[in-house]
Amino acid sequence: MIGKGGSSRVYRVMTMANEIFAIKRVSLDKTDAETMSGYMNEIALLKRLDGNNRIIQLVDSELRAGPGGSKGIIH
């Protein structure tokens, strides 16, 4: 883990090809609709800013449903 805040944590990961990335994991269990909208807007904005060398590059995103009554997570 290289950082955390509120409902998210950021991890440093390495691929099989020795590439280093950061993965942000956001727990949605305690989020309301407005906060969820904010997360989705952040993803959309990063996609629109793709290629700008002054902005962190989004490689991919995933919204994963949680088990049972859990709201899930965003990677």
Side-chain angles (χ1 to χ4, degrees):
M1 184 171 57
I2 58 176
K4 66 180 179 175
S7 59
S8 66
R9 294 176 185 244
V10 179
Y11 299 92
R12 179 177 33 216
V13 296
M14 185 183 305
T15 69
M16 298 291 279
N18 294 325
E19 298 172 299
I20 297 177
F21 292 96
I23 292 182
K24 183 176 184 179
R25 182 183 190 278
V26 181
S27 173
L28 301 174
D29 287 340
K30 298 178 183 177
T31 59
D32 56 20
E34 184 177 340
T35 303
M36 180 64 174
S37 177
Y39 290 136
M40 300 314 287
N41 286 337
E42 178 183 2
I43 292 169
L45 180 60
L46 288 171
K47 286 179 181 180
R48 283 196 311 269
L49 295 172
D50 184 43
N52 185 324
N53 64 357
R54 295 182 183 190
I55 305 293
I56 191 165
Q57 298 302 296
L58 176 66
V59 174
D60 199 1
S61 63
E62 171 187 51
L63 175 57
R64 183 178 293 179
S70 171
K71 290 183 182 178
I73 56 174
I74 295 175
H75 283 124

